[in-house]
Structures are given as C-alpha cells and as structure tokens.
C-alpha cells in the first residue's frame, strides 16, 4: 500500500519546569541577558497588573474580567517577537502581548468597565492592532483578512491572531487557516492551549494528539511549544514570523500552558477541576522557571525583584487612578456608533434612555 502523506509535530523547549536548560543552542536574543531581564520584568508587570485587575473587579470597580495568570510567557513571547508594523488580533486575555505593544492598563480597565473607548489604543504600535474579541475565534478571520491585504499591497507585514484550545474547534479558526494556506498568506495563528475551554477539558475537546496538527490540514507549518518557556515561545514566533514575512507561508503554533485562574471572575473553576491538578500546574508555571534561570546567570536576585515589584505597584496605582478618574460617557454613546443611520426601533430606545437618564439626575 502506498502512502499519500506523512507528517510529524516538533515539540520545542529550552527551559524545563525548574528553569534548567535542556538544550545548548540558545537563540541569539536569549544570549542577551539584559534583554531577557526586560522580558522577565514585563512578565512580572503583567502578573502585578492581573492581580490588581481581579482586586478591582472584586471591589465592584470593574466588570467581569478574564485573568491571564499563568500565561505570561506565552503572551510576552508573542508580543516581543512581533515587529511594530505587524498587526495583532487578540482574543480577550493576551494582556502581556498587548502591554508590550503599547496598550495601557487604563485602557484595559475602561474596556472591562463597559467603556468601548478602551479599544481606542492611544500608543503605537498597538494603535493599529485590533480590539479585544469576545466572540470566540472571529479574530482569526480578521487576521486572515489583514494578511490578504498585506499580500495584495506587497507589504512585508504579518498578521498574528491568538485563540484558546476550545476556540480552535470553531469554524472561524478553520476557515481562517484554510484561506491562509490556500493563498499563502502572511499569518501566524497561535493556539494558547491552557487546558480548559471554560469548564471543558482539553482531553474531550479534540481527538487529535496535538492541537498544532490542525494546521497540517491547511498546509501550514505547525509546531507544539512549551508555552511556559518564554525562550521557546519567542523562538517559535520569530521563526514563524520570518517565514510569513518572506513569502514562505503561514504557521500554527500550539503553546502548551495552563490557566492558573478561573476562566473569568464570573467563573468558579473549583467546581470542575481538582485541587491537585492546579497544584501540579503551579509547579510548572512560567515565572519561576525564567527567574531561576536568570538567578543562575547572576543577573537577577531578590533585591531586584522587590524593587521592580515596588515600581510595578506605583505604575498600577497611577493607571488605576487614571481609569477611575475617566469621565463617564453620556448614555447616548451606546447608540451612536453602531449604525450610520439609527433604525427607528433603536431611536425609540435611545429617546427612552435619555428620558430615564434625565430622571435619574
């Protein structure tokens, strides 16, 4: 019997759970220890930001919030590999990548606080990135459309989208990677596999041994990466971006990590996953392994850690204050930016909202 095709999925890792190198061929960026310290500092900043965000929600100052606890290496690795001219189409928890690209915490808070102005990023290069996407996987189609535009315009730019393990089962994801493969478009689709699609575990989401291999059917380069190892994430992203930028096609990256938090602040993960599972995941978390590696290289220590945390706390206090001091939009704002010409039924609702608002004040 003849074989029509064969494939295999490579697994990439440089640092194990304890922060020890498992291979000697470090990429060039990882040999720059000052740069690696900066990446660690951003990961730590992201974790401080995340803790503050949950605290704001718990005290009634923020709406439902999607935590990124445990995703720091995956997200910072994605953002730091991209060039400013590239375009990012995130889902709703890739804060580390967005902070690297200039999104401000106050903007994140505005968004989760119900103010769409949070999507109007003020700093480059985030200003030309896409807004947060809560509908699952639709951002993958936005990225594919951007990649098509880059190809038509002959621009050396790459579109990057992120999706969760559960979201990679959506038709939007498959449609996006299919057109990327068929048209040889410059796009990198990153599956952040944190093991849980809300309460649905990875083991019953797909019968495939890896989620990365979903890209094989689309004709894309596909790889599975230790998503808690920022060196591996950054290296895989750099390679994928370079392939896309030079006309060699798109890629699907599966970053294997773990959601250490609840799905959102509206969720209670204790109802569907065991305590030991989470405890085991904490032993593999990304911050510890990079910190151990940097300490072993003698470029980081407890004193530097505490000093940076103090800076992060001050930074976050300023951002929180900026968010809380933002003037509330008028009630009409929810009606003004959906249609060029407001439909009659919506106009009636608008008038009613105005009258109720006047009575309330």
């Amino acid at each position: 019997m003849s074989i029509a095709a064969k494939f295999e999925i490579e697994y990439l890792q440089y640092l194990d759970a304890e922060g020890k190198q498992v291979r000697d061929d470090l990429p060039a960026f990882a040999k720059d220890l000052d740069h690696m310290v900066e990446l660690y500092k951003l990961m730590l900043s992201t974790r401080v930001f995340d803790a503050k965000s949950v605290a704001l929600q718990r005290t009634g100052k923020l709406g439902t919030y999607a935590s990124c606890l445990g995703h720091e290496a995956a997200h910072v690795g994605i953002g730091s590999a991209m060039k400013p001219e590239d375009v990012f189409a995130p889902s709703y928890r890739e804060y580390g990548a967005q902070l690297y690209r200039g999104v401000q915490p106050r903007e994140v808070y505005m968004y989760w606080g119900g103010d769409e102005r949070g999507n109007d990023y003020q700093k480059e290069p985030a200003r030309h990135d896409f807004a947060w996407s809560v509908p699952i996987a639709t951002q993958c189609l936005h990225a594919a459309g951007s990649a098509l535009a880059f190809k038509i315009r002959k621009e050396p730019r790459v579109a990057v989208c992120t999706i969760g393990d559960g979201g990679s089962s959506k038709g939007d994801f498959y449609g996006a990677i299919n057109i990327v493969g068929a048209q040889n478009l410059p796009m990198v689709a990153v599956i952040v596999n944190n093991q849980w699609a809300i309460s649905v575990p990875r083991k019953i989401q797909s019968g495939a041994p890896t989620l990365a291999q979903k890209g094989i059917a689309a004709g894309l380069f596909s790889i599975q990466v230790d998503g808690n190892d920022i060196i591996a994430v950054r290296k895989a992203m750099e390679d994928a971006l370079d392939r896309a930028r030079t006309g060699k096609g798109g890629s699907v990256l599966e970053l294997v990590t773990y959601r250490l938090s609840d799905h959102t602040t509206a969720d209670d993960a204790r109802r569907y996953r065991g305590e030991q599972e989470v405890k085991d995941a904490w032993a593999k978390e990304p911050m510890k392994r990079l910190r151990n590696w940097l300490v072993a290289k003698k470029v980081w220590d407890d004193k530097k850690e505490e000093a940076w945390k103090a800076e992060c706390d001050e930074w976050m206090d300023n951002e929180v204050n900026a968010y809380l001091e933002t003037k509330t939009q008028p009630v009409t704002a929810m009606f003004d930016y959906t249609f060029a010409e407001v439909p009659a039924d919506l106009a009636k609702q608008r008038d009613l909202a105005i009258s109720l608002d006047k009575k309330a004040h």
Side-chain angles (χ1 to χ4, degrees):
M1 181 176 65
S2 60
I3 302 299
K6 288 184 178 182
F7 70 89
E8 59 183 12
I9 298 296
E10 177 189 349
Y11 177 75
L12 185 63
Q13 181 191 58
Y14 286 90
L15 302 179
D16 67 12
E18 298 303 318
K20 296 178 181 178
Q21 283 182 222
V22 296
R23 50 193 293 173
D24 296 325
D25 58 334
L26 284 179
F29 70 84
K31 296 176 183 178
D32 182 347
L33 295 179
D34 289 339
H35 180 65
M36 293 306 298
V37 166
E38 291 305 311
L39 293 183
Y40 177 75
K41 289 167 71 174
L42 180 55
M43 289 170 62
L44 186 54
S45 299
T46 303
R47 185 160 288 191
V48 171
F49 154 81
D50 192 68
K52 177 66 74 172
S53 304
V54 173
L56 280 174
Q57 192 280 332
R58 297 307 190 206
T59 54
K61 298 175 182 176
L62 202 63
T64 299
Y65 169 78
S67 171
C68 65
L69 186 64
H71 297 67
E72 296 87 0
H75 295 169
V76 174
I78 292 168
S80 63
M82 295 174 66
K83 289 189 176 181
E85 61 267 26
D86 294 334
V87 165
F88 188 41
S91 54
Y92 48 77
R93 74 171 89 241
E94 283 77 38
Y95 311 115
Q98 292 184 297
L99 291 173
Y100 193 96
R101 290 180 62 77
V103 172
Q104 302 172 87
R106 67 187 70 180
E107 293 167 336
V108 182
Y109 294 151
M110 287 174 70
Y111 175 76
W112 288 114
D115 191 331
E116 287 289 343
R117 289 177 297 179
N119 278 317
D120 186 16
Y121 315 132
Q122 295 301 303
K123 293 185 177 181
E124 294 288 356
R127 190 151 179 77
H128 64 254
D129 287 344
F130 282 89
W132 287 284
S133 180
V134 172
I136 304 300
T138 54
Q139 69 275 11
C140 301
L141 296 171
H142 303 155
S146 298
L148 177 59
F150 299 157
K151 182 178 180 180
I152 292 172
R153 296 172 181 171
K154 295 181 171 56
E155 297 176 346
R157 304 168 67 188
V158 182
V160 175
C161 67
T162 49
I163 186 70
D165 41 298
S168 72
S169 297
K170 288 290 297 292
D172 308 68
F173 172 77
Y174 285 111
I177 63 172
N178 186 70
I179 193 65
V180 169
Q183 297 293 324
N184 194 40
L185 303 181
M187 188 183 97
V188 178
V190 185
I191 303 172
V192 182
N193 177 6
N194 66 17
Q195 311 303 317
W196 287 91
I198 307 182
S199 58
V200 181
R202 158 67 178 92
K203 63 184 178 182
I204 65 172
Q205 291 175 42
S206 172
T210 71
L211 299 182
Q213 69 197 68
K214 295 183 177 187
I216 297 292
L220 304 182
F221 176 84
S222 303
I223 185 173
Q224 187 183 73
V225 183
D226 184 339
N228 290 336
D229 173 2
I230 191 170
I231 298 177
V233 175
R234 171 72 173 267
K235 172 60 174 171
M237 278 298 300
E238 283 190 348
D239 290 348
L241 290 164
D242 182 65
R243 280 191 299 270
R245 206 181 310 280
T246 55
K248 297 175 183 175
S251 299
V252 170
L253 277 57
E254 177 190 0
L255 310 184
V256 181
T257 182
Y258 192 86
R259 194 190 78 213
L260 294 172
S261 62
D262 296 327
H263 177 68
T264 69
T265 50
D267 174 44
D268 182 1
R270 294 172 299 179
R271 297 176 63 185
Y272 54 79
R273 66 183 187 187
E275 182 179 342
Q276 188 59 47
E277 177 184 327
V278 179
K279 184 178 179 180
D280 292 344
W282 270 104
K284 302 175 184 177
E285 64 99 4
M287 299 292 297
K288 181 184 73 171
R289 70 175 69 186
L290 180 57
R291 186 183 189 281
N292 287 350
W293 186 75
L294 292 173
V295 169
K297 296 287 185 181
K298 301 187 186 311
V299 293
W300 196 253
D301 54 36
D302 290 343
K303 185 177 180 180
K304 291 179 179 179
E305 179 110 358
E306 292 307 312
W308 182 247
K309 282 183 178 178
E311 286 193 44
C312 290
D313 287 338
E314 183 178 356
W315 166 62
M316 282 310 309
D317 286 344
N318 291 333
E319 289 297 313
V320 169
N321 289 335
Y323 158 65
L324 295 176
E325 292 168 3
T326 300
K327 187 176 180 181
T328 304
Q329 290 190 95
V331 69
T332 53
M334 73 176 84
F335 302 95
D336 292 342
Y337 306 106
T338 304
F339 297 94
E341 296 181 10
V342 181
D345 60 334
L346 204 60
K348 290 181 180 179
Q349 293 179 40
R350 186 178 187 274
D351 292 341
L352 176 60
I354 292 172
S355 65
L356 292 174
D357 186 58
K358 286 181 178 177
K359 290 179 181 179
H361 292 87

